[in-house]
Amino acid sequence: MSFILKFILSAIVTYLLATFLPGAYIRGFTDAMILVVVLAILNAVVKPILQIIGLPITILTLGLFLFVINALIIMLASYLMAGFEISGFLSALLFSVVLSLATSVVDMVVD
C-alpha cells in the first residue's frame, strides 16, 4: 500500500514542480505518472553506469558531479518523453535537486 501512495505522491510532486519551476513543462498528470516510471527506470539502469564512468570526476569534485548526473538523467527523460520538456541544463539541475528533496520528504512522511 505504501508503494502506491509513494508513487501517487511522487507524481503529484513531479507535476507541481514541472508546473511551477521555470524551464520545465509537463502536459498533464498522466504524463507526470509516466515520468515517475521513466525516471525510476533510468535511475535503475543508466545512473549506475554514469556513476561508474564519472567516478574520477565525482572524487575530484567531492561528490558534486552527482548533481550533474542527476540533471543528465532528467534531460534524458525529457528526450524520451513527448509530454515532458526541460529547456536547458540549469533547469534540469534545479528540477532534479528540488525533486530529490521533495521525494525525500515524501519518503519520510510515508514511512
Side-chain angles (χ1 to χ4, degrees):
M1 182 67 178
S2 68
F3 172 75
I4 296 171
L5 184 60
K6 283 183 186 180
F7 174 74
I8 292 172
L9 288 176
S10 295
I12 290 170
V13 165
T14 304
Y15 179 74
L16 290 175
L17 287 178
T19 303
F20 291 116
L21 287 179
Y25 169 76
I26 197 157
R27 195 176 338 172
F29 185 70
T30 55
D31 286 325
M33 290 192 298
I34 294 169
L35 178 62
V36 169
V37 173
V38 168
L39 285 176
I41 292 169
L42 289 175
N43 281 331
V45 176
V46 177
K47 189 174 181 179
I49 296 168
L50 290 177
Q51 285 177 337
I52 291 171
I53 293 170
L55 185 62
I57 300 170
T58 303
I59 292 170
L60 285 174
T61 61
L62 302 175
L64 292 177
F65 189 69
L66 293 175
F67 288 120
V68 174
I69 291 174
N70 285 336
L72 290 174
I73 294 292
I74 296 292
M75 291 177 77
L76 183 59
S78 173
Y79 176 75
L80 294 174
M81 286 189 58
F84 174 64
E85 294 179 17
I86 288 287
S87 64
F89 179 77
L90 290 178
S91 297
L93 184 65
L94 179 65
F95 188 84
S96 70
V97 168
V98 176
L99 182 64
S100 296
L101 292 173
T103 54
S104 295
V105 170
V106 166
D107 287 343
M108 287 190 309
V109 169
V110 172
D111 287 342

